[in-house]
Amino acid sequence: MSARVTVLGAGVAGLAAALELAQAGAEVEVLEVGKQPGGEAASRFAGGMLAPWCECVSAEPLVAELGRQALDWWPRQYPGTVRNGTLVLAAARDAGELEAFAQRSDNYRRLDADGVATLEPELVGRFRQGLFFADEAHLDPRAALAALVARLQPLGVAIHYGVDASKASGDGRTVLDCRGYAARDRLPELRGVRGEMLLLHSDDVQFARPIRLLHPRGMHYLVPRGGGDYMLGGSMLESDDAGATSARSVMELLNAAYALHPALAEARILELGHGLRPAFPDNLPRLEQRDGRWHLNGLFRHGYLLAPALAQQAAVRLLEAA
């Protein structure tokens, strides 16, 4: 008899785990409190950058180690994954930030002004140097979630929307809780780290890859979504406030866009969004069993990067325990 698993949450972690389990032969169902994949959780407002070498600058080595698996996994599941690398820049006055970034990472190529302009012609004359991480990739999170849902359908995985899964018992099924920050009712040490984003549209510039702009207060990034749309993000607030975005955050995001290219001042704002990223005290993900329920959580700001590796681990461990 095959294992029977109820996955709680249809964000990136839950859908990836459901797919790995179903492909391994388990009978899987997914319960989601929202009305669409990802609900209104962080999965829908992510940058979608598959950037293990960039992320290792501020994360533990385990993040880069697990994240490299995403570079092979996502193109198999979502053909829209784009592998054009990542460009990291800083204004001339912030050259020290770029050098510090370089010292904490690897697998990049240094660029002079001509190299930056060759990669992104819109930036000609704007930046004296940069770092190019050629092996990194990016994707559109919402399209990627839809692709996972489409892959689950022929495997017989039912996704039930509008279901409060917090008290789900599974009725004899194994329960894998992937609810992100919503699982704090069972994982009290989990904290929320707020992230905010703008979705912009501009016909005045064309960028082919994610661009990270460093400055002394941190980093902002611009991620192409196709058709002139760009996701602008980079805020990371130690807060579980799920309320509306502040004017300060919007100004900081727009200032970063203008610093990258003045033409972005004329971009149209299509959407303003925010989400609470789930993080444990050590900022590392966990797959553990507690009080009769499995938990896959704590992917922090690396959801799309870490979900494939954690999903594969979950499939192995749950099927071994079944």
Side-chain angles (χ1 to χ4, degrees), residues 42-68:
S43 289
R44 292 187 58 79
F45 302 103
M49 294 175 290
L50 308 179
W53 292 281
C54 281
E55 292 301 330
C56 75
V57 168
S58 58
E60 295 293 326
L62 179 65
V63 171
E65 178 185 339
L66 296 177
R68 284 192 285 271

Side-chain angles (χ1 to χ4, degrees), residues 3-9 14 17 21 165-166 168-170 173-180 183 185-187 280 286-297 310-322:
R4 301 167 65 237
V5 182
T6 297
V7 176
L8 309 185
L21 284 160
S166 61
S169 63
R173 304 169 66 97
T174 300
V175 175
L176 176 61
D177 193 332
C178 303
R179 291 179 293 138
D185 56 348
R186 288 177 172 261
L187 302 173
F280 289 112
R286 295 182 192 172
L287 172 63
E288 63 178 34
Q289 192 173 24
R290 188 186 301 187
D291 299 328
R293 176 182 291 192
W294 286 90
H295 293 271
L296 194 168
N297 214 317
L310 271 294
Q312 291 167 348
Q313 292 180 20
V316 170
R317 293 183 63 182
L318 268 66
L319 292 178
E320 285 179 348

Side-chain angles (χ1 to χ4, degrees), residues 101-132:
F101 194 97
Q103 291 177 3
R104 296 195 297 269
S105 190
D106 59 12
N107 198 37
Y108 60 82
R109 175 162 54 94
R110 290 183 181 268
L111 303 176
D112 59 13
D114 289 340
V116 171
T118 298
L119 273 184
E120 295 289 357
E122 300 283 0
L123 299 179
V124 61
R126 295 198 53 77
F127 294 91
R128 297 177 183 175
Q129 57 182 326
L131 306 174
F132 180 45

